[in-house]
Amino acid sequence: MKKIISLVLALCIVLSISAVALAEISGDAVVPCKVPFMITNAGQGPGGKMGNLLVSRAGTLVDQEDYFYVDVPYAADVDERPYGAIVIVIGSTDKGLGATGITIDEEIARVNEVMARANETNVPVIAVLLEKDKRSTSPTNANERCIDAVCPLASWMIVVTDANTDGRFDKIKEEYGVPLTILDNSMDFISVIQQAFAKETAE
């Protein structure tokens, strides 16, 4: 119950940000994508649910028709529908892993299988990070491991500027050639979704 209350409060804070604020988007241009697409997470943090909420707030896509939220996906889920893309929101917490009942090693193994299957079926993966930088300098940090599992094989990265304070994603872009779009804050994700999944041009 406490977890649900905390999540609701967090989402209320997100939604309380003024809708009239101008979106600040920089870096590489928005990449046109096709519907339907899957939204999920890597790391079992709250980012996946936040991403799903922001997509619903875009107001241009239909839940369970244009997009599907899959809480804990597996490789087989990539084949569940003719997905035009998979949006993986990165972020790990001990609480999230504990609630799911898996270790970070098991989580990374699962994510690796999802990424491999997406690559086999040519489904583009969009790596997203919507939360402020919580990473440590330890290479075994859970968030770092999720980034390493997803971003180098992704087709596009979308991250908030506060998650790239050390240039982590700039380095991935340079090394692997993955386009990188920077958001001023998580609410700007709404505008990116509206542009990327514009159904009249993406289908």
mmCIF file of all heavy atoms in Angstrom, residues 99-151:
data_model
loop_
_atom_site.group_PDB
_atom_site.id
_atom_site.type_symbol
_atom_site.label_atom_id
_atom_site.label_comp_id
_atom_site.label_asym_id
_atom_site.label_seq_id
_atom_site.Cartn_x
_atom_site.Cartn_y
_atom_site.Cartn_z
ATOM 1 N N ALA A 99 10.470 -6.248 -4.970
ATOM 2 C CA ALA A 99 9.034 -6.487 -5.162
ATOM 3 C C ALA A 99 8.796 -7.510 -6.272
ATOM 4 O O ALA A 99 7.840 -8.290 -6.227
ATOM 5 C CB ALA A 99 8.336 -5.176 -5.494
ATOM 6 N N THR A 100 9.670 -7.498 -7.277
ATOM 7 C CA THR A 100 9.538 -8.448 -8.374
ATOM 8 C C THR A 100 10.085 -9.816 -8.000
ATOM 9 O O THR A 100 9.734 -10.832 -8.611
ATOM 10 C CB THR A 100 10.278 -7.920 -9.624
ATOM 11 O OG1 THR A 100 9.883 -6.570 -9.859
ATOM 12 C CG2 THR A 100 9.936 -8.743 -10.853
ATOM 13 N N GLY A 101 10.958 -9.836 -7.007
ATOM 14 C CA GLY A 101 11.522 -11.102 -6.545
ATOM 15 C C GLY A 101 12.671 -11.619 -7.383
ATOM 16 O O GLY A 101 12.912 -12.828 -7.429
ATOM 17 N N ILE A 102 13.381 -10.702 -8.057
ATOM 18 C CA ILE A 102 14.522 -11.117 -8.864
ATOM 19 C C ILE A 102 15.759 -10.303 -8.487
ATOM 20 O O ILE A 102 15.652 -9.211 -7.931
ATOM 21 C CB ILE A 102 14.252 -10.967 -10.379
ATOM 22 C CG1 ILE A 102 13.948 -9.503 -10.729
ATOM 23 C CG2 ILE A 102 13.120 -11.874 -10.824
ATOM 24 C CD1 ILE A 102 13.760 -9.266 -12.213
ATOM 25 N N THR A 103 16.923 -10.835 -8.795
ATOM 26 C CA THR A 103 18.173 -10.127 -8.547
ATOM 27 C C THR A 103 18.523 -9.289 -9.768
ATOM 28 O O THR A 103 17.961 -9.471 -10.858
ATOM 29 C CB THR A 103 19.318 -11.117 -8.276
ATOM 30 O OG1 THR A 103 19.572 -11.859 -9.482
ATOM 31 C CG2 THR A 103 18.955 -12.084 -7.142
ATOM 32 N N ILE A 104 19.490 -8.397 -9.618
ATOM 33 C CA ILE A 104 19.905 -7.586 -10.758
ATOM 34 C C ILE A 104 20.543 -8.465 -11.824
ATOM 35 O O ILE A 104 20.413 -8.189 -13.024
ATOM 36 C CB ILE A 104 20.858 -6.452 -10.318
ATOM 37 C CG1 ILE A 104 21.166 -5.517 -11.506
ATOM 38 C CG2 ILE A 104 22.117 -7.004 -9.696
ATOM 39 C CD1 ILE A 104 19.969 -4.865 -12.144
ATOM 40 N N ASP A 105 21.209 -9.541 -11.425
ATOM 41 C CA ASP A 105 21.787 -10.456 -12.412
ATOM 42 C C ASP A 105 20.690 -11.101 -13.260
ATOM 43 O O ASP A 105 20.829 -11.236 -14.483
ATOM 44 C CB ASP A 105 22.610 -11.549 -11.718
ATOM 45 C CG ASP A 105 23.901 -11.023 -11.129
ATOM 46 O OD1 ASP A 105 24.433 -10.023 -11.665
ATOM 47 O OD2 ASP A 105 24.385 -11.591 -10.136
ATOM 48 N N GLU A 106 19.609 -11.514 -12.610
ATOM 49 C CA GLU A 106 18.484 -12.108 -13.336
ATOM 50 C C GLU A 106 17.817 -11.069 -14.233
ATOM 51 O O GLU A 106 17.380 -11.382 -15.349
ATOM 52 C CB GLU A 106 17.471 -12.685 -12.347
ATOM 53 C CG GLU A 106 17.988 -13.903 -11.577
ATOM 54 C CD GLU A 106 17.070 -14.325 -10.453
ATOM 55 O OE1 GLU A 106 16.448 -13.433 -9.827
ATOM 56 O OE2 GLU A 106 16.963 -15.538 -10.202
ATOM 57 N N GLU A 107 17.726 -9.842 -13.743
ATOM 58 C CA GLU A 107 17.125 -8.768 -14.533
ATOM 59 C C GLU A 107 17.948 -8.493 -15.788
ATOM 60 O O GLU A 107 17.399 -8.360 -16.890
ATOM 61 C CB GLU A 107 17.011 -7.504 -13.679
ATOM 62 C CG GLU A 107 16.567 -6.255 -14.430
ATOM 63 C CD GLU A 107 15.104 -6.282 -14.853
ATOM 64 O OE1 GLU A 107 14.441 -7.337 -14.722
ATOM 65 O OE2 GLU A 107 14.618 -5.247 -15.337
ATOM 66 N N ILE A 108 19.263 -8.409 -15.645
ATOM 67 C CA ILE A 108 20.128 -8.138 -16.795
ATOM 68 C C ILE A 108 20.044 -9.279 -17.803
ATOM 69 O O ILE A 108 19.999 -9.053 -19.022
ATOM 70 C CB ILE A 108 21.585 -7.931 -16.349
ATOM 71 C CG1 ILE A 108 21.706 -6.647 -15.500
ATOM 72 C CG2 ILE A 108 22.512 -7.858 -17.559
ATOM 73 C CD1 ILE A 108 21.296 -5.381 -16.218
ATOM 74 N N ALA A 109 19.993 -10.520 -17.314
ATOM 75 C CA ALA A 109 19.868 -11.673 -18.211
ATOM 76 C C ALA A 109 18.569 -11.588 -19.010
ATOM 77 O O ALA A 109 18.541 -11.879 -20.215
ATOM 78 C CB ALA A 109 19.922 -12.971 -17.409
ATOM 79 N N ARG A 110 17.480 -11.200 -18.331
ATOM 80 C CA ARG A 110 16.185 -11.068 -19.008
ATOM 81 C C ARG A 110 16.237 -9.960 -20.053
ATOM 82 O O ARG A 110 15.774 -10.132 -21.192
ATOM 83 C CB ARG A 110 15.105 -10.769 -17.978
ATOM 84 C CG ARG A 110 13.702 -10.645 -18.543
ATOM 85 C CD ARG A 110 12.724 -10.185 -17.474
ATOM 86 N NE ARG A 110 13.079 -8.863 -16.969
ATOM 87 C CZ ARG A 110 12.810 -7.729 -17.617
ATOM 88 N NH1 ARG A 110 12.215 -7.761 -18.797
ATOM 89 N NH2 ARG A 110 13.147 -6.563 -17.109
ATOM 90 N N VAL A 111 16.811 -8.816 -19.687
ATOM 91 C CA VAL A 111 16.917 -7.689 -20.612
ATOM 92 C C VAL A 111 17.771 -8.073 -21.822
ATOM 93 O O VAL A 111 17.451 -7.715 -22.964
ATOM 94 C CB VAL A 111 17.498 -6.453 -19.905
ATOM 95 C CG1 VAL A 111 17.801 -5.340 -20.905
ATOM 96 C CG2 VAL A 111 16.528 -5.935 -18.843
ATOM 97 N N ASN A 112 18.851 -8.797 -21.574
ATOM 98 C CA ASN A 112 19.710 -9.244 -22.677
ATOM 99 C C ASN A 112 18.935 -10.104 -23.669
ATOM 100 O O ASN A 112 19.115 -9.993 -24.888
ATOM 101 C CB ASN A 112 20.901 -10.036 -22.136
ATOM 102 C CG ASN A 112 21.957 -9.144 -21.502
ATOM 103 O OD1 ASN A 112 22.015 -7.941 -21.766
ATOM 104 N ND2 ASN A 112 22.797 -9.735 -20.660
ATOM 105 N N GLU A 113 18.056 -10.963 -23.158
ATOM 106 C CA GLU A 113 17.252 -11.823 -24.026
ATOM 107 C C GLU A 113 16.264 -10.992 -24.841
ATOM 108 O O GLU A 113 16.046 -11.258 -26.028
ATOM 109 C CB GLU A 113 16.515 -12.859 -23.197
ATOM 110 C CG GLU A 113 17.427 -13.923 -22.577
ATOM 111 C CD GLU A 113 16.662 -14.932 -21.740
ATOM 112 O OE1 GLU A 113 15.427 -14.758 -21.592
ATOM 113 O OE2 GLU A 113 17.281 -15.876 -21.248
ATOM 114 N N VAL A 114 15.663 -9.988 -24.210
ATOM 115 C CA VAL A 114 14.723 -9.106 -24.912
ATOM 116 C C VAL A 114 15.451 -8.358 -26.023
ATOM 117 O O VAL A 114 14.967 -8.255 -27.161
ATOM 118 C CB VAL A 114 14.056 -8.122 -23.934
ATOM 119 C CG1 VAL A 114 13.265 -7.055 -24.696
ATOM 120 C CG2 VAL A 114 13.134 -8.866 -22.965
ATOM 121 N N MET A 115 16.631 -7.822 -25.703
ATOM 122 C CA MET A 115 17.405 -7.080 -26.699
ATOM 123 C C MET A 115 17.821 -7.985 -27.854
ATOM 124 O O MET A 115 17.772 -7.574 -29.025
ATOM 125 C CB MET A 115 18.633 -6.461 -26.038
ATOM 126 C CG MET A 115 18.323 -5.369 -25.012
ATOM 127 S SD MET A 115 17.456 -3.944 -25.730
ATOM 128 C CE MET A 115 18.684 -3.337 -26.887
ATOM 129 N N ALA A 116 18.231 -9.203 -27.535
ATOM 130 C CA ALA A 116 18.651 -10.136 -28.577
ATOM 131 C C ALA A 116 17.492 -10.478 -29.500
ATOM 132 O O ALA A 116 17.649 -10.521 -30.733
ATOM 133 C CB ALA A 116 19.222 -11.406 -27.947
ATOM 134 N N ARG A 117 16.322 -10.706 -28.924
ATOM 135 C CA ARG A 117 15.154 -11.047 -29.739
ATOM 136 C C ARG A 117 14.722 -9.860 -30.599
ATOM 137 O O ARG A 117 14.342 -10.035 -31.773
ATOM 138 C CB ARG A 117 13.997 -11.503 -28.843
ATOM 139 C CG ARG A 117 12.784 -11.994 -29.634
ATOM 140 C CD ARG A 117 13.162 -13.124 -30.543
ATOM 141 N NE ARG A 117 12.055 -13.536 -31.412
ATOM 142 C CZ ARG A 117 12.220 -14.110 -32.591
ATOM 143 N NH1 ARG A 117 13.439 -14.346 -33.048
ATOM 144 N NH2 ARG A 117 11.176 -14.450 -33.316
ATOM 145 N N ALA A 118 14.771 -8.665 -30.037
ATOM 146 C CA ALA A 118 14.433 -7.471 -30.812
ATOM 147 C C ALA A 118 15.385 -7.316 -31.990
ATOM 148 O O ALA A 118 14.969 -6.970 -33.106
ATOM 149 C CB ALA A 118 14.481 -6.237 -29.920
ATOM 150 N N ASN A 119 16.657 -7.580 -31.757
ATOM 151 C CA ASN A 119 17.650 -7.488 -32.823
ATOM 152 C C ASN A 119 17.396 -8.542 -33.896
ATOM 153 O O ASN A 119 17.499 -8.264 -35.098
ATOM 154 C CB ASN A 119 19.051 -7.671 -32.239
ATOM 155 C CG ASN A 119 20.146 -7.521 -33.291
ATOM 156 O OD1 ASN A 119 20.297 -6.471 -33.897
ATOM 157 N ND2 ASN A 119 20.909 -8.578 -33.503
ATOM 158 N N GLU A 120 17.038 -9.751 -33.478
ATOM 159 C CA GLU A 120 16.775 -10.841 -34.426
ATOM 160 C C GLU A 120 15.582 -10.526 -35.330
ATOM 161 O O GLU A 120 15.558 -10.905 -36.500
ATOM 162 C CB GLU A 120 16.503 -12.137 -33.666
ATOM 163 C CG GLU A 120 17.717 -12.730 -32.977
ATOM 164 C CD GLU A 120 17.358 -13.887 -32.069
ATOM 165 O OE1 GLU A 120 16.148 -14.224 -31.992
ATOM 166 O OE2 GLU A 120 18.259 -14.446 -31.425
ATOM 167 N N THR A 121 14.589 -9.845 -34.773
ATOM 168 C CA THR A 121 13.358 -9.558 -35.513
ATOM 169 C C THR A 121 13.331 -8.146 -36.090
ATOM 170 O O THR A 121 12.312 -7.700 -36.619
ATOM 171 C CB THR A 121 12.131 -9.764 -34.599
ATOM 172 O OG1 THR A 121 12.285 -8.977 -33.413
ATOM 173 C CG2 THR A 121 11.997 -11.228 -34.204
ATOM 174 N N ASN A 122 14.461 -7.438 -35.959
ATOM 175 C CA ASN A 122 14.583 -6.080 -36.504
ATOM 176 C C ASN A 122 13.561 -5.100 -35.941
ATOM 177 O O ASN A 122 13.067 -4.215 -36.658
ATOM 178 C CB ASN A 122 14.486 -6.111 -38.043
ATOM 179 C CG ASN A 122 15.640 -6.854 -38.684
ATOM 180 O OD1 ASN A 122 16.792 -6.650 -38.323
ATOM 181 N ND2 ASN A 122 15.330 -7.729 -39.628
ATOM 182 N N VAL A 123 13.233 -5.265 -34.673
ATOM 183 C CA VAL A 123 12.356 -4.311 -33.991
ATOM 184 C C VAL A 123 13.241 -3.265 -33.312
ATOM 185 O O VAL A 123 14.055 -3.611 -32.448
ATOM 186 C CB VAL A 123 11.471 -5.005 -32.935
ATOM 187 C CG1 VAL A 123 10.604 -3.978 -32.226
ATOM 188 C CG2 VAL A 123 10.612 -6.071 -33.590
ATOM 189 N N PRO A 124 13.133 -1.996 -33.699
ATOM 190 C CA PRO A 124 13.992 -0.976 -33.096
ATOM 191 C C PRO A 124 13.682 -0.770 -31.619
ATOM 192 O O PRO A 124 12.518 -0.780 -31.205
ATOM 193 C CB PRO A 124 13.676 0.283 -33.908
ATOM 194 C CG PRO A 124 12.320 0.035 -34.486
ATOM 195 C CD PRO A 124 12.235 -1.447 -34.724
ATOM 196 N N VAL A 125 14.730 -0.599 -30.840
ATOM 197 C CA VAL A 125 14.595 -0.350 -29.407
ATOM 198 C C VAL A 125 14.939 1.111 -29.113
ATOM 199 O O VAL A 125 15.978 1.606 -29.556
ATOM 200 C CB VAL A 125 15.515 -1.274 -28.589
ATOM 201 C CG1 VAL A 125 15.512 -0.869 -27.110
ATOM 202 C CG2 VAL A 125 15.077 -2.728 -28.740
ATOM 203 N N ILE A 126 14.059 1.774 -28.384
ATOM 204 C CA ILE A 126 14.287 3.155 -27.967
ATOM 205 C C ILE A 126 14.631 3.131 -26.488
ATOM 206 O O ILE A 126 13.806 2.750 -25.649
ATOM 207 C CB ILE A 126 13.041 4.021 -28.212
ATOM 208 C CG1 ILE A 126 12.631 3.961 -29.684
ATOM 209 C CG2 ILE A 126 13.303 5.464 -27.784
ATOM 210 C CD1 ILE A 126 11.289 4.593 -29.974
ATOM 211 N N ALA A 127 15.859 3.506 -26.153
ATOM 212 C CA ALA A 127 16.308 3.534 -24.766
ATOM 213 C C ALA A 127 15.963 4.890 -24.165
ATOM 214 O O ALA A 127 16.315 5.927 -24.722
ATOM 215 C CB ALA A 127 17.812 3.295 -24.692
ATOM 216 N N VAL A 128 15.277 4.873 -23.030
ATOM 217 C CA VAL A 128 14.788 6.105 -22.418
ATOM 218 C C VAL A 128 15.230 6.167 -20.957
ATOM 219 O O VAL A 128 15.196 5.161 -20.245
ATOM 220 C CB VAL A 128 13.242 6.179 -22.495
ATOM 221 C CG1 VAL A 128 12.719 7.442 -21.824
ATOM 222 C CG2 VAL A 128 12.782 6.105 -23.949
ATOM 223 N N LEU A 129 15.657 7.342 -20.516
ATOM 224 C CA LEU A 129 15.954 7.561 -19.096
ATOM 225 C C LEU A 129 15.299 8.873 -18.694
ATOM 226 O O LEU A 129 15.680 9.932 -19.180
ATOM 227 C CB LEU A 129 17.465 7.600 -18.847
ATOM 228 C CG LEU A 129 17.874 7.145 -17.434
ATOM 229 C CD1 LEU A 129 19.330 6.702 -17.389
ATOM 230 C CD2 LEU A 129 17.646 8.256 -16.416
ATOM 231 N N LEU A 130 14.288 8.774 -17.825
ATOM 232 C CA LEU A 130 13.472 9.932 -17.461
ATOM 233 C C LEU A 130 13.772 10.483 -16.074
ATOM 234 O O LEU A 130 13.264 11.540 -15.711
ATOM 235 C CB LEU A 130 11.981 9.548 -17.516
ATOM 236 C CG LEU A 130 11.453 9.139 -18.894
ATOM 237 C CD1 LEU A 130 10.025 8.624 -18.773
ATOM 238 C CD2 LEU A 130 11.512 10.308 -19.867
ATOM 239 N N GLU A 131 14.587 9.769 -15.310
ATOM 240 C CA GLU A 131 14.843 10.178 -13.940
ATOM 241 C C GLU A 131 16.194 10.870 -13.804
ATOM 242 O O GLU A 131 17.122 10.608 -14.570
ATOM 243 C CB GLU A 131 14.809 8.963 -13.024
ATOM 244 C CG GLU A 131 13.474 8.249 -13.020
ATOM 245 C CD GLU A 131 13.522 6.981 -12.190
ATOM 246 O OE1 GLU A 131 13.309 7.090 -10.971
ATOM 247 O OE2 GLU A 131 13.782 5.907 -12.750
ATOM 248 N N LYS A 132 16.297 11.718 -12.815
ATOM 249 C CA LYS A 132 17.546 12.416 -12.525
ATOM 250 C C LYS A 132 18.649 11.405 -12.234
ATOM 251 O O LYS A 132 18.399 10.317 -11.727
ATOM 252 C CB LYS A 132 17.352 13.325 -11.306
ATOM 253 C CG LYS A 132 18.503 14.271 -11.033
ATOM 254 C CD LYS A 132 18.136 15.229 -9.911
ATOM 255 C CE LYS A 132 19.283 16.201 -9.655
ATOM 256 N NZ LYS A 132 18.937 17.180 -8.591
ATOM 257 N N ASP A 133 19.879 11.764 -12.581
ATOM 258 C CA ASP A 133 21.023 10.873 -12.442
ATOM 259 C C ASP A 133 21.176 10.367 -11.014
ATOM 260 O O ASP A 133 21.369 11.135 -10.084
ATOM 261 C CB ASP A 133 22.292 11.622 -12.861
ATOM 262 C CG ASP A 133 23.475 10.691 -13.019
ATOM 263 O OD1 ASP A 133 23.319 9.499 -12.738
ATOM 264 O OD2 ASP A 133 24.538 11.175 -13.426
ATOM 265 N N LYS A 134 21.076 9.038 -10.858
ATOM 266 C CA LYS A 134 21.253 8.414 -9.547
ATOM 267 C C LYS A 134 22.404 7.416 -9.581
ATOM 268 O O LYS A 134 22.564 6.602 -8.688
ATOM 269 C CB LYS A 134 19.964 7.694 -9.130
ATOM 270 C CG LYS A 134 18.766 8.618 -8.978
ATOM 271 C CD LYS A 134 17.520 7.818 -8.620
ATOM 272 C CE LYS A 134 16.312 8.730 -8.495
ATOM 273 N NZ LYS A 134 15.077 7.976 -8.198
ATOM 274 N N ARG A 135 23.201 7.506 -10.645
ATOM 275 C CA ARG A 135 24.261 6.528 -10.818
ATOM 276 C C ARG A 135 25.476 6.856 -9.959
ATOM 277 O O ARG A 135 25.785 7.999 -9.685
ATOM 278 C CB ARG A 135 24.671 6.462 -12.296
ATOM 279 C CG ARG A 135 23.593 5.842 -13.175
ATOM 280 C CD ARG A 135 24.008 5.818 -14.624
ATOM 281 N NE ARG A 135 23.855 7.146 -15.221
ATOM 282 C CZ ARG A 135 24.853 7.846 -15.725
ATOM 283 N NH1 ARG A 135 26.063 7.389 -15.695
ATOM 284 N NH2 ARG A 135 24.629 9.019 -16.263
ATOM 285 N N SER A 136 26.181 5.807 -9.565
ATOM 286 C CA SER A 136 27.434 5.971 -8.831
ATOM 287 C C SER A 136 28.587 5.761 -9.792
ATOM 288 O O SER A 136 28.390 5.497 -10.977
ATOM 289 C CB SER A 136 27.524 4.946 -7.693
ATOM 290 O OG SER A 136 27.764 3.658 -8.209
ATOM 291 N N THR A 137 29.809 5.874 -9.304
ATOM 292 C CA THR A 137 30.978 5.654 -10.153
ATOM 293 C C THR A 137 31.340 4.171 -10.242
ATOM 294 O O THR A 137 32.249 3.801 -10.963
ATOM 295 C CB THR A 137 32.183 6.428 -9.599
ATOM 296 O OG1 THR A 137 32.409 6.024 -8.234
ATOM 297 C CG2 THR A 137 31.929 7.928 -9.629
ATOM 298 N N SER A 138 30.610 3.332 -9.521
ATOM 299 C CA SER A 138 30.895 1.902 -9.529
ATOM 300 C C SER A 138 30.402 1.260 -10.825
ATOM 301 O O SER A 138 29.239 1.442 -11.202
ATOM 302 C CB SER A 138 30.211 1.212 -8.344
ATOM 303 O OG SER A 138 30.285 -0.192 -8.484
ATOM 304 N N PRO A 139 31.251 0.516 -11.535
ATOM 305 C CA PRO A 139 30.822 -0.113 -12.785
ATOM 306 C C PRO A 139 29.783 -1.204 -12.572
ATOM 307 O O PRO A 139 29.135 -1.636 -13.518
ATOM 308 C CB PRO A 139 32.126 -0.697 -13.349
ATOM 309 C CG PRO A 139 33.000 -0.895 -12.155
ATOM 310 C CD PRO A 139 32.656 0.246 -11.225
ATOM 311 N N THR A 140 29.607 -1.659 -11.322
ATOM 312 C CA THR A 140 28.617 -2.696 -11.052
ATOM 313 C C THR A 140 27.282 -2.111 -10.583
ATOM 314 O O THR A 140 26.369 -2.839 -10.254
ATOM 315 C CB THR A 140 29.131 -3.661 -9.964
ATOM 316 O OG1 THR A 140 29.431 -2.917 -8.770
ATOM 317 C CG2 THR A 140 30.392 -4.371 -10.439
ATOM 318 N N ASN A 141 27.187 -0.768 -10.579
ATOM 319 C CA ASN A 141 25.948 -0.108 -10.215
ATOM 320 C C ASN A 141 24.810 -0.612 -11.106
ATOM 321 O O ASN A 141 24.969 -0.762 -12.315
ATOM 322 C CB ASN A 141 26.117 1.399 -10.367
ATOM 323 C CG ASN A 141 24.835 2.157 -10.126
ATOM 324 O OD1 ASN A 141 24.086 2.401 -11.058
ATOM 325 N ND2 ASN A 141 24.587 2.530 -8.896
ATOM 326 N N ALA A 142 23.646 -0.886 -10.503
ATOM 327 C CA ALA A 142 22.536 -1.495 -11.246
ATOM 328 C C ALA A 142 22.109 -0.654 -12.444
ATOM 329 O O ALA A 142 21.836 -1.192 -13.526
ATOM 330 C CB ALA A 142 21.364 -1.724 -10.303
ATOM 331 N N ASN A 143 22.025 0.657 -12.287
ATOM 332 C CA ASN A 143 21.623 1.506 -13.400
ATOM 333 C C ASN A 143 22.646 1.472 -14.526
ATOM 334 O O ASN A 143 22.287 1.453 -15.707
ATOM 335 C CB ASN A 143 21.403 2.947 -12.918
ATOM 336 C CG ASN A 143 20.099 3.103 -12.175
ATOM 337 O OD1 ASN A 143 19.034 2.774 -12.685
ATOM 338 N ND2 ASN A 143 20.167 3.588 -10.949
ATOM 339 N N GLU A 144 23.927 1.455 -14.168
ATOM 340 C CA GLU A 144 24.974 1.373 -15.182
ATOM 341 C C GLU A 144 24.853 0.071 -15.964
ATOM 342 O O GLU A 144 25.019 0.043 -17.195
ATOM 343 C CB GLU A 144 26.359 1.450 -14.530
ATOM 344 C CG GLU A 144 26.708 2.805 -13.937
ATOM 345 C CD GLU A 144 27.034 3.844 -14.999
ATOM 346 O OE1 GLU A 144 26.948 3.528 -16.210
ATOM 347 O OE2 GLU A 144 27.365 4.971 -14.633
ATOM 348 N N ARG A 145 24.567 -1.008 -15.275
ATOM 349 C CA ARG A 145 24.447 -2.307 -15.941
ATOM 350 C C ARG A 145 23.246 -2.336 -16.893
ATOM 351 O O ARG A 145 23.315 -2.936 -17.970
ATOM 352 C CB ARG A 145 24.338 -3.416 -14.902
ATOM 353 C CG ARG A 145 25.608 -3.594 -14.080
ATOM 354 C CD ARG A 145 25.489 -4.748 -13.104
ATOM 355 N NE ARG A 145 25.346 -6.031 -13.819
ATOM 356 C CZ ARG A 145 25.136 -7.189 -13.204
ATOM 357 N NH1 ARG A 145 25.022 -7.229 -11.878
ATOM 358 N NH2 ARG A 145 25.018 -8.304 -13.893
ATOM 359 N N CYS A 146 22.167 -1.682 -16.504
ATOM 360 C CA CYS A 146 21.002 -1.604 -17.385
ATOM 361 C C CYS A 146 21.311 -0.762 -18.617
ATOM 362 O O CYS A 146 20.906 -1.104 -19.740
ATOM 363 C CB CYS A 146 19.809 -1.024 -16.634
ATOM 364 S SG CYS A 146 19.139 -2.106 -15.344
ATOM 365 N N ILE A 147 22.035 0.326 -18.417
ATOM 366 C CA ILE A 147 22.442 1.171 -19.543
ATOM 367 C C ILE A 147 23.307 0.371 -20.510
ATOM 368 O O ILE A 147 23.114 0.408 -21.730
ATOM 369 C CB ILE A 147 23.198 2.411 -19.040
ATOM 370 C CG1 ILE A 147 22.239 3.350 -18.299
ATOM 371 C CG2 ILE A 147 23.872 3.155 -20.195
ATOM 372 C CD1 ILE A 147 22.927 4.466 -17.536
ATOM 373 N N ASP A 148 24.258 -0.377 -19.968
ATOM 374 C CA ASP A 148 25.151 -1.183 -20.804
ATOM 375 C C ASP A 148 24.399 -2.270 -21.564
ATOM 376 O O ASP A 148 24.783 -2.635 -22.681
ATOM 377 C CB ASP A 148 26.236 -1.837 -19.946
ATOM 378 C CG ASP A 148 27.284 -0.842 -19.464
ATOM 379 O OD1 ASP A 148 27.430 0.213 -20.112
ATOM 380 O OD2 ASP A 148 27.946 -1.116 -18.452
ATOM 381 N N ALA A 149 23.325 -2.790 -20.963
ATOM 382 C CA ALA A 149 22.559 -3.862 -21.595
ATOM 383 C C ALA A 149 21.685 -3.347 -22.735
ATOM 384 O O ALA A 149 21.436 -4.070 -23.704
ATOM 385 C CB ALA A 149 21.692 -4.576 -20.565
ATOM 386 N N VAL A 150 21.234 -2.106 -22.634
ATOM 387 C CA VAL A 150 20.251 -1.592 -23.587
ATOM 388 C C VAL A 150 20.846 -0.620 -24.611
ATOM 389 O O VAL A 150 20.665 -0.790 -25.826
ATOM 390 C CB VAL A 150 19.084 -0.909 -22.844
ATOM 391 C CG1 VAL A 150 18.093 -0.296 -23.837
ATOM 392 C CG2 VAL A 150 18.369 -1.890 -21.929
ATOM 393 N N CYS A 151 21.547 0.393 -24.155
ATOM 394 C CA CYS A 151 21.894 1.529 -25.019
ATOM 395 C C CYS A 151 22.789 1.206 -26.214
ATOM 396 O O CYS A 151 22.517 1.696 -27.322
ATOM 397 C CB CYS A 151 22.500 2.648 -24.177
ATOM 398 S SG CYS A 151 21.284 3.432 -23.083
#
